[in-house]
Amino acid sequence: MRRTRALRLSATALVAAALLAGCGTSGTHHEAADKPAAISAESDSPYRGTAVDPGFAKPDLVLTGTTGKPYDLREKTAGKTTLVFFGYTNCPDVCPTTMGDISAALAQQPQSVRDNVQVVFVTTDPERDTPKSLRTWLTAFGENFTGLSGDLAKVKKAALSVGISVEDPKKHHNGTVTSDHGTQVIAFTPKDNQGRVVYTHGTTVDDFAHDLPLLVKNTR
């Protein structure tokens, strides 16, 4: 079994180390201004994603869900393994690929696991990603997926609280719009609602499939 390091990093340290990926641009990654914090300890982890200690508090975020009604992230996902991703539907690469990989991993799970996993896609382009358009886009990935849209300032604050940077959408001369955002998926475990595992861009379907049952069991 492949094991990754469990990094003893604070939320502030991960913010400093966060990367931005330009969806639909040249794909160049931009490092955050601060230097990554030093790792103070490491140990074996059962997860293929990166286990973090201490974990992240689930963002206190209320936006509009795909039903058009207010969606309280903490309230609606309490007691479930929750994967949170910040992105936008017009992204031609990272966002649909990540959602597709999670969807494929979920399809490999027994019903007992699928019933206890919620995937929350928070748009970084709320001007174009309305609740209706989010629902249409997410339907292809399955019933475990919900989308949130709303005040970008709230979205940026929530993302930063879990170590993810989000920039304002950029409108280009050719009429296209891109949204630079961190590509991490944060997994919150069900018993404590803490963000315990981080998945970076490049995580495979097999990696997600391996970790989902462990996350549901709240393995630490």
Side-chain angles (χ1 to χ4, degrees):
M1 178 186 296
R2 184 167 67 112
R3 293 189 175 186
T4 58
R5 297 178 300 177
L7 307 183
R8 191 173 299 277
L9 295 174
S10 67
T12 301
L14 278 180
V15 170
L19 298 178
L20 286 174
C23 294
T25 63
S26 63
T28 302
H29 286 68
H30 309 281
E31 292 190 16
D34 296 326
K35 293 181 180 179
I39 298 170
S40 59
E42 65 178 53
S43 63
D44 285 339
S45 165
Y47 298 107
R48 292 185 180 179
T50 301
V52 292
D53 183 18
F56 294 110
K58 188 176 289 182
D60 183 10
L61 182 63
V62 180
L63 295 172
T64 303
T66 50
T67 62
K69 298 179 179 180
Y71 188 103
D72 185 318
L73 180 62
R74 288 183 175 178
E75 178 183 307
K76 293 291 187 180
T77 62
K80 282 194 173 185
T81 294
T82 305
L83 306 184
V84 177
F85 181 83
F86 294 83
Y88 67 118
T89 65
N90 285 284
C91 167
D93 37 47
V94 175
C95 302
T97 298
T98 301
M99 294 299 99
D101 287 347
I102 295 172
S103 178
L106 278 167
Q108 299 178 24
Q109 306 303 316
Q111 192 66 44
S112 60
V113 172
R114 293 199 302 271
D115 286 345
N116 286 284
V117 175
Q118 183 69 49
V119 184
V120 180
F121 183 93
V122 185
T123 182
T124 59
D125 184 16
E127 184 175 331
R128 294 187 298 169
D129 286 345
T130 64
K132 183 178 179 179
S133 65
L134 277 173
R135 180 67 272 159
T136 299
W137 189 74
L138 290 169
T139 294
F141 302 113
E143 61 183 13
N144 297 74
F145 293 73
T146 192
L148 302 184
S149 181
D151 187 350
L152 185 58
K154 289 184 178 181
V155 171
K156 293 169 71 172
K157 182 178 180 181
L160 198 61
S161 75
V162 293
I164 297 174
S165 296
V166 171
E167 292 186 352
D168 291 340
K170 298 181 179 67
K171 295 183 180 181
H172 304 283
H173 294 300
N174 62 1
T176 61
V177 178
T178 56
S179 174
D180 286 349
H181 57 87
T183 58
Q184 304 97 312
V185 175
I186 310 296
F188 295 83
T189 46
K191 291 181 181 177
D192 57 10
N193 289 307
Q194 292 287 302
R196 296 293 182 185
V197 186
V198 177
Y199 298 92
T200 56
H201 178 53
T203 300
T204 67
V205 173
D206 285 345
D207 291 336
F208 282 121
H210 172 273
D211 282 7
L212 283 172
L214 300 178
L215 290 165
V216 169
K217 292 178 181 178
N218 218 115
T219 302
R220 292 180 61 186

